[in-house]
Structures are given as C-alpha cells and as structure tokens.
C-alpha cells in the first residue's frame, strides 16, 4: 500500500524507510535505519526527483502510481547514481517507457557503468546552471561533485525556492511519520546520526561541500529536501551552520574525546583516570569510547565534534592495537584537521604505540600534538598518575579562554559571511558620550578579509557623520540589505544627515540592538555583523576600517541586494527635470538629489545628501 506525504500543493515525498538493513554501504551500522527520499512534482509535466534503493521499491512504485492517477511520468532527475537511489531506475523505465532522464554527462556515463539498459535514447543532458521548466516549476541544476560522488548534482526549484540537495544535508535514521525536521526534536533524535552520516560519507570532501554551501548561500531557500532524513523548512540555518563547521573541520564543541583500546583493562584504567582529572579541572564535555567495542564510524563522528582528542592504545606485535589503528587510519582518510591531540601508550615488552599513532595523524593539517605522551608498562603506577595529571593540565591549559569561546564560537555565525556581496549595507554606530545617540548611513563596501580570526573591512566616506562616530567609538554594526528592502530605508539612512536628524526616530520596530549596544536592521536585512576596529587607513575621501567581527547572525534567507537591483527595482526613477535659469541640472544617480549649477560641476563636487562624487551626478539634457 502507498505511503506518501504532501510537502505542498503539488510536491510529494514518495520515498521509503528501511529498518532492516544493518550496514549502510556494507560499512556503517544504522541502528535507527535509513530513509530513501524521493520527490514527485505534479506540474503540467510530471517530474520525479530521484529514485530509491531496491529494498524499498514496492512502496516507492505504489506511491508513484497512487499520485499519478493514470497520468504518465514525464521526467526523472538523477541527482546521484549510487544504487541506494538509482537501483530502481531500470524498473521505472520499464513502467514508464516514454520517460526522459535528466542528468549531467557524468550521470549517464556512471549509469552505463552500473546498468546495461539503453539510457542514451532518453537522456536529457544538463550542465551546471541549466534550467528546466515543467510548467509552474523551474528547476536549475547545480553540479556538486564529490558530495558524495563525482556525478552528484542538486536541483533548485525557483518556484517553491526548494533545494533538492541529494546526499547533502542527509542523516541516518528513518522518518517515523514526521517527515520534516521541525516535527521532531532534531538535536535529540537526529543530530548525532546526521553528524555520523556527514563525517563518514562526505567528511573527506570539505572543500567540495564548501563550494556547495556557497552556491546555496546565493539562493533564496524555503526548504532543503535531502535524499536521506528529514526535510528542512524552518530554521534551515541551524543545520547549514553545522555543515559549515564540519566542512571547515572546525570543532563543534570545546571538549575532549578519549578513544582507547585495552587488552586487559590497564590502558582503559589510565583513560578513566585522565577523564577524572579533566573533570576535576572543570572540563564538562568528555566522551569516551573503547574502539574495540564501538564501530569506528561513531568515534570518527565524535572526532569531528570535539576540539581535543586523546588516543590511548596498547602496543601489539610492536605496532598499534588493531582496532585503534583502524580508527586512526579512518580519521586520517577523512582529512580531520584543527585538533589538539595527545597520546597514552602501553606496552609490557616495549611501548611504541604513541609515536606510531602520531605518525598516522602527522600529515593532517593544523594538528597540535601535546608533548606529554603517557607511557605505561603493563599497568598504571604512581609515576604514571603524575604523568596523567600533567597531561590533564596541558589539555586544560590549551582550551581557549571562555570569553574567546563566546565571541568566536557562539556569537559568530559563519554562514552570515555568505551574505556579503558588493551590495548595499546600513552602517550603524553611536556617540561615545552620555547621550550615546545612534546614527547610521548607507555604504556599499564590506569585505571579509580573513576567516581565522573573522575580520572584515569597510570603506566609509569621511563626510558621513557615522564615520566620525566610528573614529571615536571604534565599533560599528553592518546590516546586509536585501531585495526586500524598501526605498524608505534608503531615504532614512542615505538622504539625510545624522547631524541634524534622528535617523532611528519611529524606526524602533525595524531594528534591534546587538551585544555591543548598537542597532542593527531587522527589516529588509538578511545578516548583521558587529565590528571592533583594528585599524583605520586614510584613502582621501574615504577611510578603510579593518575590524574583528565579534558577533554575526543570519537574519533571513532573502537575497542580498546589489546596486543593479537597487537601481532597477527599488530606487524611484527621477522625475523629468526641466532646466531653469539657463543653469545645468544634475540628478544624483544614487539618491536622486537635484543640483542646479552654473556650468559644469567642479571635480571635487560631493552630493550633499548621499556624499557620492561628481561621477554619480547625471547631467539632464
Ligand atoms: Fe545516498 Fe551517496 O548515496
């Protein structure tokens, strides 16, 4: 019997769940099972986005038949040829002989590698950025090589603003009726398996995932529909920000993973003593795994989660104990970076494991190895307890100070930086005196300059009152304006001077204050940044401020505004102007200010409203 879920008026989930499979890809235990998602869009032409695994074929085909109601299936998009999705394509073609298959060049060469049916005669080959219209829906295809295989592509439906994301944003675990992430307690029930899915399946390909995230950041998203796990239609940025961390190998949490192998319990004893010393030293996030008991996929996921890792291993046949070696090779194969690492070794004849473990991890980027290797001879003795205490102290002292953690982990949302374009922004600052009056202006230059630490530069015209406020206070906020901004925002912040007007009067419902006490814009803005000035460089008419970002948040998924969009869609066209008194009439392209002038404007002319130069003044003829 069919089992579908409506996503909106003409889009349906037609996938299936599998709780019987014990090892996904014959490699990863899935105690909570897995879902194979596929989506059917009943437009003027019918289009299916992906198929399912063979094990789920019965209900999948019943779902499609039930929804089509004797219509034919016109198209299927193949985002990913891996058989957990594509194994049922052959039967789909048999059931719908006129079906056309949409994919890229690599899609079809890979289908031919796996299957023997004639795919060429029904192939519609698309490239990155190509569009395909089925009626109301307009699909744009973006290649996403190595997320998870080379042929992977994602599809963006511009009508619904849905991103059909292939394996990206997937999780292990079945959908137990609740198909949407907002219908479950995702952090409680799915996050661990989402992390394990990501790290084991695509963890190696952080750069490629970053490329996909950048493409996604340029799209207005109302939902993300992956091929495994829940659909995201609310708080989408919560999961995107996890992907941002995982794909940049940034620890999710400051904490310690202790992974140990132990033949007779003595290495485990040392690991437990270390955990106790860490807890006594104030460390609250400690995870421990016996790697002979726990499958490496779980421990790998925790290695992506925590900032610090301690490996404790027996020396075995003059090498590393086999289950520990498997874990270390797995971590190295997944390209983990940016961790602080320590070792405990044990050996009844000779203890070699510490250096051997370090050798496996040494090629990875930006790994800090603590020098204190604890070396046991068979069991923990008093001198070892002292070594373990020293190791615990070294680990604790390598943790960032709490205020640094707050500033750079909790308050700076990496995804906010994807909103930056060469666009238009509201720059806000305040007086440093008791009155503390707030002001703001429009600027067009904000750029990220470094990722670690997060730093930006802004260019501000010296004629703006906000410029002087920043010189004095050395702090500011930037709000990134979107295509949903109203012209009133530009009039308020760009067409009057803060020296003689309170720009925030009557604007209380469209702004909030960030932790630095300054306003940021909530209406028509998709992100804000708080900057603490590091340097100010004079460039004649403008000052270039470099700043450390102390806070950054994504506010919405609206598209960042460009100058072009502003001119075409937001700024009213200037009314026709008739020359008066024989003078030339100039209209400012930026703010619309009308300037009558005897002869040509001087080269140092500055628009009195928006402070733009002569080059932005258009002579009316
Ligand atoms: Fe869900 Fe890479 O297959």
């Amino acid at each position: 019997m069919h089992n579908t879920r409506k996503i909106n008026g003409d889009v349906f989930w037609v996938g299936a769940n599998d709780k019987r499979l014990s090892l996904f890809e014959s490699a990863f235990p899935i105690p909570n099972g897995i879902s194979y998602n596929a989506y059917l869009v009943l437009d003027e032409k019918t289009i299916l986005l992906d198929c399912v695994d063979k094990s789920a074929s019965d209900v999948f085909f019943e779902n499609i038949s039930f929804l089509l109601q004797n219509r034919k299936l016109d198209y299927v998009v193949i985002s990913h040829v891996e058989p957990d999705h594509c194994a049922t394509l052959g039967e789909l073609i048999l059931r719908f002989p006129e079906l056309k298959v949409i994919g890229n060049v690599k899609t079809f060469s890979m289908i031919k590698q796996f299957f023997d049916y004639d795919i060429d005669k029904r192939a519609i080959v698309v490239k990155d950025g190509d569009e395909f219209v089925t009626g109301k829906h307009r699909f744009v295809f973006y290649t996403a090589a190595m997320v998870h295989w080379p042929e992977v592509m994602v599809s963006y439906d511009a009508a619904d603003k849905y991103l059909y994301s292939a394996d990206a944003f997937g999780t292990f675990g079945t959908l137990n009726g609740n198909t949407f992430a907002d219908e479950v307690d995702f952090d409680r029930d799915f996050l661990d398996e989402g992390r394990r899915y990501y790290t084991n399946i695509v963890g190696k390909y952080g750069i490629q995932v970053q490329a996909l995230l950048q493409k996604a950041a340029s799209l207005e998203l109302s939902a993300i529909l992956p091929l495994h796990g829940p659909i995201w239609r609310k708080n989408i940025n919560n999961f995107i920000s996890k992907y941002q961390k995982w794909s940049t190998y940034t620890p999710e949490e400051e904490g310690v993973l202790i992974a140990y192998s132990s033949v007779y319990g003595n290495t485990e004893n040392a690991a437990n003593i270390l955990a106790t010393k860490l807890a006594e030293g104030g460390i609250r996030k400690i995870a421990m795994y016996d790697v002979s008991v726990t499958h490496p996929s779980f421990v790998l996921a925790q290695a992506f989660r925590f900032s610090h890792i301690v490996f404790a291993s027996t020396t075995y046949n003059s090498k590393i104990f086999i289950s520990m070696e498997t874990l270390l090779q797995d971590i190295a194969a997944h390209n983990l970076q940016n961790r602080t690492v320590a070792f405990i070794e044990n050996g009844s004849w000779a203890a070699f494991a510490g250096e051997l473990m370090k050798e496996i991890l040494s090629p990875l980027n930006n790994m800090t190895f603590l020098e204190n290797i604890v070396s046991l001879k068979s069991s923990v003795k008093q001198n070892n307890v002292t070594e373990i205490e020293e190791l615990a102290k070294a680990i604790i002292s390598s943790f960032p100070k709490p205020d640094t953690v707050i500033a750079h982990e909790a308050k700076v949302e990496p995804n906010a930086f994807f909103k930056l374009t060469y666009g238009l922004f509201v720059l806000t600052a305040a007086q440093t005196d008791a009155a503390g009056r707030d002001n703001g202006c429009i600027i067009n230059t904000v750029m990220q300059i470094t990722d670690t630490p997060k730093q930006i530069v802004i260019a501000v015209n010296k004629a703006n009152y906000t410029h002087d406020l920043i010189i004095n206070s050395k702090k500011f906020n930037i709000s990134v304006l979107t295509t949903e901004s109203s012209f009133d925002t530009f009039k308020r912040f760009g067409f009057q001077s803060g020296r003689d007007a309170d720009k925030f009067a009557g604007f209380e419902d469209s702004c909030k204050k960030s932790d630095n006490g300054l306003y940021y814009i909530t209406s028509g803005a998709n992100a804000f940044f708080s900057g603490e000035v590091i340097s100010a460089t004079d460039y004649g008419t403008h000052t270039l401020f470099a700043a450390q970002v102390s806070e950054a948040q994504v506010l919405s998924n609206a598209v960042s505004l460009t100058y072009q969009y502003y001119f075409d869609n937001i700024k009213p066209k200037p009314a026709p102007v008739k020359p008066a008194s024989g003078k030339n009439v100039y209209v400012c392209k930026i703010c619309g200010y009308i300037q009558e002038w005897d002869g040509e404007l001087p080269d140092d002319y500055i628009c009195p409203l928006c402070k733009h130069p002569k080059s932005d003044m258009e002579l009316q003829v």
Side-chain angles (χ1 to χ4, degrees):
M1 176 56 74
H2 59 82
N3 178 31
T4 66
R5 185 89 195 262
K6 185 187 243 186
I7 296 170
N8 70 28
D10 59 358
V11 181
F12 298 84
W13 177 83
V14 292
N17 294 298
D18 186 351
K19 280 191 187 290
R20 292 187 171 191
L21 186 67
S22 57
L23 285 179
F24 183 69
E25 295 182 357
S26 286
F28 309 109
I30 43 171
N32 302 332
I34 191 157
S35 73
Y36 305 109
N37 299 341
Y39 304 97
L40 182 63
V41 182
L42 299 176
D43 204 358
E44 288 169 29
K45 296 288 184 183
T46 58
I47 183 165
L48 177 69
L49 290 112
D50 292 287
C51 305
V52 300
D53 187 78
K54 262 214 167 82
S55 64
S57 64
D58 285 356
V59 72
F60 170 64
F61 287 116
E62 292 206 47
N63 288 345
I64 294 172
S65 300
F66 166 69
L67 289 168
L68 284 174
Q69 297 284 339
N70 297 321
R71 290 182 71 186
K72 68 174 178 150
L73 181 63
D74 296 303
Y75 305 105
V76 60
V77 177
I78 299 298
S79 307
H80 185 15
V81 180
E82 193 167 7
D84 58 324
H85 309 291
C86 206
T88 38
L89 177 62
E91 185 174 343
L92 191 73
I93 289 169
L94 289 175
R95 288 173 181 245
F96 300 98
E98 295 171 47
L99 180 69
K100 298 287 185 196
V101 180
I102 300 172
N104 56 59
V105 170
K106 287 180 190 161
T107 312
F108 294 108
S109 67
M110 204 166 272
I111 286 175
K112 289 176 198 169
Q113 287 173 209
F114 272 98
F115 310 110
D116 291 327
Y117 43 79
D118 182 0
I119 195 70
D120 286 337
K121 70 180 181 187
R122 59 186 74 251
I124 297 176
V125 182
V126 294
K127 303 185 299 299
D128 188 68
D130 278 0
E131 295 185 3
F132 191 82
V133 177
T134 54
K136 173 187 140 195
H137 295 268
R138 178 166 61 88
F139 295 91
V140 187
F141 305 106
Y142 296 102
T143 55
M146 304 319 297
V147 188
H148 151 221
W149 280 13
E151 88 297 355
V152 169
M153 64 181 198
V154 300
S155 308
Y156 177 68
D157 177 3
D160 286 335
K161 300 183 172 43
Y162 283 4
L163 180 67
Y164 295 90
S165 62
D167 273 349
F169 303 105
T171 68
F172 292 135
T174 52
L175 301 172
N176 305 323
N178 292 313
T179 310
F180 300 94
D182 55 275
E183 294 177 333
V184 297
D185 185 334
F186 186 86
D187 283 1
R188 185 192 65 192
D189 297 336
F190 279 96
L191 179 57
D192 281 344
E193 287 297 77
R195 183 189 303 107
R196 192 164 68 90
Y197 175 88
Y198 172 86
T199 53
N200 284 276
I201 303 290
V202 288
K204 179 178 180 180
Y205 303 109
I207 291 171
Q208 290 83 351
V209 173
Q210 279 282 296
L212 177 60
L213 290 176
Q214 294 214 18
K215 282 180 186 173
S218 67
L219 303 170
E220 190 177 352
L221 299 180
S222 64
I224 294 178
L225 300 90
L227 289 178
H228 303 285
I231 296 166
W232 287 84
R233 62 183 176 183
K234 292 183 182 170
N235 303 319
I236 293 172
N237 285 311
N238 289 356
F239 205 35
I240 290 179
S241 65
K242 291 290 182 194
Y243 262 62
Q244 181 67 26
K245 286 198 167 174
W246 297 335
S247 62
T248 53
Y249 306 97
T250 304
E252 241 177 292
E253 299 187 63
E254 295 294 332
V256 184
L257 163 65
I258 303 175
Y260 65 88
S261 62
S262 190
V263 179
Y264 291 108
N266 293 304
T267 313
E268 180 182 40
N269 182 217
N272 279 319
I273 293 170
L274 175 66
T276 301
K277 301 294 177 196
L278 290 170
E280 287 173 351
I283 304 298
R284 291 292 168 263
K285 291 175 179 169
I286 304 169
M288 294 187 70
Y289 293 91
D290 182 332
V291 301
S292 299
V293 174
T294 304
H295 190 274
S297 64
F298 291 88
V299 190
L300 174 81
Q302 296 300 312
F304 270 70
R305 179 180 183 182
F306 288 114
S307 56
H308 291 64
I309 312 173
V310 179
F311 298 97
S313 177
T314 312
T315 306
Y316 202 77
N317 288 330
S318 301
K319 298 231 166 43
I320 307 164
F321 194 72
I322 187 70
S323 52
M324 178 60 78
E325 184 169 12
T326 300
L327 171 68
L328 290 163
Q329 297 290 2
D330 205 26
I331 288 174
H334 286 81
N335 203 20
L336 187 68
Q337 303 168 25
N338 308 322
R339 296 304 191 269
T340 301
V341 177
F343 301 102
I344 297 174
E345 63 183 3
N346 194 355
S348 294
W349 313 328
F352 296 138
E355 282 303 322
L356 294 173
M357 289 192 284
K358 187 175 173 185
E359 264 176 37
I360 294 174
L361 299 180
S362 289
L364 300 176
N365 283 341
N366 198 28
M367 303 295 265
T368 302
F369 297 103
L370 298 181
E371 289 176 359
N372 321 48
I373 291 184
V374 175
S375 194
L376 312 179
K377 263 201 177 271
S378 301
S379 64
V380 180
K381 298 292 188 294
Q382 188 52 48
N383 65 309
N384 299 128
V385 173
T386 306
E387 289 173 0
I388 293 169
E389 285 171 344
E390 290 304 313
L391 177 58
K393 281 183 199 161
I395 292 170
I396 291 165
S397 66
S398 70
F399 269 62
K401 300 291 170 279
D403 55 344
T404 313
V405 175
I406 288 166
H408 297 293
E409 292 292 329
K411 296 190 176 176
V412 178
E413 201 175 315
N415 245 25
F417 291 82
F418 289 156
K419 304 297 184 187
L420 293 177
T421 61
Y422 190 64
L424 289 161
F425 311 87
V426 175
L427 169 68
T428 43
Q431 291 175 337
T432 52
D433 60 15
R437 194 159 70 81
D438 294 278
N439 192 52
C441 65
I442 303 285
I443 65 169
N444 63 7
T445 307
V446 179
M447 187 178 80
Q448 182 179 3
I449 47 174
T450 61
D451 188 60
T452 310
K454 297 273 191 292
Q455 296 178 117
I456 57 174
V457 287
I458 61 171
V460 188
N461 193 311
K462 288 180 184 174
N464 281 319
Y465 181 44
T466 313
H467 172 274
D468 297 348
L469 298 179
I470 296 172
I471 289 284
N472 289 329
S473 66
K474 305 215 168 0
K475 61 181 185 178
F476 60 81
N477 277 356
I478 291 288
S479 304
V480 183
L481 295 175
T482 73
T483 54
E484 293 170 12
S485 306
S486 81
F487 188 60
D488 284 347
T489 302
F490 293 88
K491 283 200 292 188
R492 175 178 289 274
F493 291 104
F495 296 2
Q496 55 183 346
S497 171
R499 291 187 174 87
D500 38 48
D502 179 0
K503 296 189 180 182
F504 285 92
F507 199 63
E508 295 76 13
D509 292 341
S510 299
C511 57
K512 282 186 182 170
K513 286 202 170 178
S514 55
D515 283 0
N516 62 4
L518 299 177
Y519 279 120
Y520 64 91
I521 310 304
T522 53
S523 170
N526 59 19
F528 84 89
F529 301 84
S530 295
E532 295 171 4
V533 173
I534 303 164
S535 67
T537 309
D538 190 338
Y539 283 96
T541 57
H542 287 64
T543 297
L544 200 63
F545 293 103
Q548 166 104 28
V549 174
S550 58
E551 189 172 5
Q553 275 184 29
V554 173
L555 302 174
S556 80
N557 286 315
V559 175
S560 298
L561 185 62
T562 62
Y563 248 126
Q564 188 67 49
Y565 191 93
Y566 169 74
F567 284 130
D568 292 346
N569 300 287
I570 294 180
K571 186 172 100 55
K573 303 287 177 271
V577 178
K578 291 196 173 99
S581 320
K583 292 183 177 178
N584 283 334
V585 176
Y586 293 86
V587 176
C588 177
K589 285 194 290 186
I590 307 302
C591 69
Y593 180 75
I594 298 169
Q595 175 72 67
E596 290 188 13
W597 201 270
D598 227 342
E600 190 184 345
L601 287 175
D603 288 340
D604 61 354
Y605 178 86
I606 298 287
C607 172
L609 276 185
C610 69
K611 318 298 183 213
H612 274 242
K614 175 187 173 184
S615 56
D616 285 322
M617 301 298 291
E618 280 183 330
L619 176 63
Q620 305 299 296
V621 290

